[in-house]
Amino acid sequence: MSAFTSLKVLVLMGGDSREREISLLSGAAVARALAGLGHVVEARTLAAVGDVLAMDDLRDWDVVFPALHGGMGEDGRLQALLDVLGVPYALSGHLASAVAMDKAATKRILRSAGIPTPDWLLVTPDRDGVAWPDRDQLLKRVDAELRWPVVVKPNADGSSVGVRIVAQPSEFAAAFDEAAAGGRDVLLETYVPGRELTAAILLGRRLPLVEIVPREGFYDFGHKYTAGASDYLCPAPVHSPLYERLSGDARRAYDLLGCRGVARVDFRLDGNRYSCLEVNTIPGMTDTSLVPKAAAAVGIPFAALVDDLCRDGVRRGVNR
């Protein structure tokens, strides 16, 4: 058995996205676990991703663990800065991060590879970032190209922030305005009924599927981060041929986007038909998060999970 080698790990958390509070929880959990193993760890809270440019000690650390969810912490810009600065980090590089954060771009790649994903429309503001397409025209397109109910959500946010399931046209405007707040691109997507499943890929290895069963409603922000609001079945009770196809497509999505470390791929399952919704390159690492549940199901404790991710970042160095 090889001797334990301590690493110097800088955990970055916070940021200015709408997922800041969840980032703080993830970062604190990662830091505690790594320190418990004997690593030298500092958890550093950022007001904004650009704060790293003022850090003169970045090269003193063996590896950075980015625990920022959403915004510039997960969309490739933080990763690109670390690349330019020559600082090794865990998880996916800047290209995979940028593509995965753009839900519409991810869906184009999935569909081109034959991985099923719900039909969608991407709605963007005009060049001045102010005006949006006429709502009546949008509703006509939803009627013609999608079907009701329709899911309305920001194209580049996570944690189900700003996501609404709209059952009828009269509910559309309020949901659209919430998703578009701040000039965000909006994704309109055909709602897929059925079961909520997620597949975690760890260092290229398929972990068991997890089924999420909200106690009521759908798996929104509150259900994700409120203990007891949802039940979790791992491994998910899905019959073998379908289980293998879905899990295999999760691994293909991981590879197609060029993900590294760990990623979570979310699905909806309606009978024997599944649809891939999105890929998350910095999945949550809180007490209710899904990747740690899947890892624990195959005997990988949380501390070992984040240790493996840090060591993978060190091995890959700055050649992303």
Side-chain angles (χ1 to χ4, degrees), residues 79-255:
Q79 293 76 11
L81 282 175
L82 294 174
D83 287 337
V84 170
L85 295 170
V87 178
Y89 55 92
L91 309 179
S92 292
H94 67 277
L95 289 176
S97 300
V99 174
M101 181 54 70
D102 186 329
K103 293 179 175 64
T106 297
K107 288 165 71 68
R108 292 186 196 103
I109 292 171
L110 295 175
R111 182 157 289 183
S112 69
I115 298 174
T117 188
D119 291 338
W120 76 96
L121 292 172
L122 178 63
V123 186
T124 60
D126 71 7
R127 294 178 182 176
D128 297 323
V130 177
W132 292 89
D134 179 80
R135 301 297 173 81
D136 290 337
Q137 292 300 317
L138 275 180
L139 288 174
K140 289 178 181 178
R141 289 196 66 187
V142 171
D143 286 335
E145 300 176 41
L146 306 179
R147 65 177 183 270
W148 302 95
V150 64
V151 181
V152 181
K153 56 188 174 183
N155 186 52
D157 264 339
S159 294
S160 297
V161 173
V163 177
R164 293 290 179 267
I165 300 172
V166 178
Q168 54 193 357
S170 62
E171 303 169 357
F172 180 80
F176 185 90
D177 289 344
E178 180 179 358
R184 292 174 174 83
D185 292 353
V186 177
L187 190 75
L188 309 178
E189 185 178 64
T190 297
Y191 173 72
V192 177
R195 300 159 64 184
E196 188 98 21
L197 299 175
T198 195
I201 309 297
L202 173 63
L203 303 174
R205 174 186 178 186
R206 293 185 286 176
L207 297 182
L209 297 179
V210 180
E211 180 173 0
I212 306 101
V213 185
R215 297 286 175 89
E216 58 181 17
F218 78 103
Y219 194 52
D220 58 7
F221 185 92
H223 284 91
K224 286 185 176 182
Y225 299 112
T226 302
S230 298
D231 295 318
Y232 303 93
L233 308 177
C234 185
V238 179
H239 64 79
S240 183
L242 180 60
Y243 189 109
E244 287 302 314
R245 290 201 305 273
L246 192 154
S247 182
D249 274 348
R251 171 60 195 272
R252 283 211 296 147
Y254 177 95
D255 289 339

Side-chain angles (χ1 to χ4, degrees), residues 43-44 49 54 112 242 257 265 284 302 305:
R44 195 170 293 178
V49 165
S112 69
L242 180 60
L257 270 63
V265 188
F302 182 69
L305 168 67

Side-chain angles (χ1 to χ4, degrees), residues 282-315:
I282 305 185
M285 293 290 178
T286 71
D287 291 340
T288 58
S289 294
L290 299 169
V291 169
K293 293 180 188 299
V298 290
I300 303 174
F302 182 69
L305 168 67
V306 293
D307 179 71
D308 285 347
L309 293 172
C310 287
R311 295 187 187 280
D312 178 62
V314 171
R315 282 192 298 271

